[in-house]
Amino acid sequence: MEYMIDGIEYILDLIETSKAMQKIDAHIPRYAFPGCETQIFKSRSYWECFVRQLVGSPDSAMSSCRMGDGSENSKTTSVIDPQFRVLGVQGLRVIDSSSMPWVATANQAAITIMMGEVGSKLILDKWGKLDMVERQKNASTIVI
């Protein structure tokens, strides 16, 4: 937090003292950021509030619903099995990036789409032989 506030104050100083910024009449408008109205504008407490209100992760939530390998050991550290089934809950699967065991360094969108394809195939392989009428009739009793 301190480094972020130091960075904000450094940029403010550049804006307020640099000849280039003065030449274009650059300034920070006095604006009470929502949630920080009680703080004194440009104070460290104001910038701390600003950062806490504004900062978030640009990334998707990943690996929060960890997939295990199905072994007894992984059942204590994972939420879903390799077929995306939630452990201990019948009829529920999690098929998205939250089920990755670790954050991948490749394009997460492509991996998540692939996981959706694999998950849908697993479900179709299990239930694809049922006709639509039978699926609707048994919708409340089907266990995936």
Side-chain angles (χ1 to χ4, degrees):
M1 177 64 72
E2 293 302 313
Y3 291 122
M4 295 178 87
I5 296 170
D6 290 345
I8 291 169
E9 289 177 338
Y10 178 77
I11 297 299
L12 287 173
D13 185 57
L14 283 176
I15 291 170
E16 293 170 353
T17 62
S18 126
K19 289 181 182 177
M21 292 291 132
Q22 289 173 354
K23 190 182 244 183
I24 61 169
D25 194 30
H27 64 282
I28 302 294
R30 185 172 184 81
Y31 172 71
F33 195 80
C36 304
E37 300 89 352
T38 61
Q39 306 298 322
I40 297 170
F41 183 67
K42 290 189 183 178
S43 68
R44 285 190 75 84
S45 62
Y46 176 84
W47 293 122
E48 181 177 349
C49 177
F50 173 85
V51 169
R52 290 188 188 280
Q53 296 292 326
L54 187 65
V55 172
S57 173
D59 300 319
S60 302
M62 297 179 66
S63 305
S64 58
C65 186
R66 187 164 190 240
M67 179 187 291
D69 61 11
S71 69
E72 284 301 313
N73 187 38
S74 77
K75 288 181 182 179
T76 61
T77 60
S78 57
V79 179
I80 61 172
D81 69 12
Q83 285 75 44
F84 302 101
R85 296 176 297 207
V86 176
L87 299 174
V89 180
Q90 289 188 334
L92 180 62
R93 294 181 193 239
V94 174
I95 307 173
D96 63 14
S97 62
S98 68
S99 60
M100 292 181 191
W102 57 85
V103 177
T105 57
N107 181 322
Q108 276 85 26
I111 296 168
T112 304
I113 291 167
M114 180 272 312
M115 291 172 71
E117 293 291 330
V118 170
S120 65
K121 183 176 182 332
L122 289 168
I123 292 168
L124 287 172
D125 286 350
K126 182 164 177 93
W127 300 106
K129 297 175 180 66
L130 297 174
D131 66 278
M132 191 56 110
V133 174
E134 191 175 348
R135 248 186 259 167
Q136 289 176 346
K137 184 172 45 173
N138 297 323
S140 62
T141 59
I142 292 177
V143 176
I144 299 175

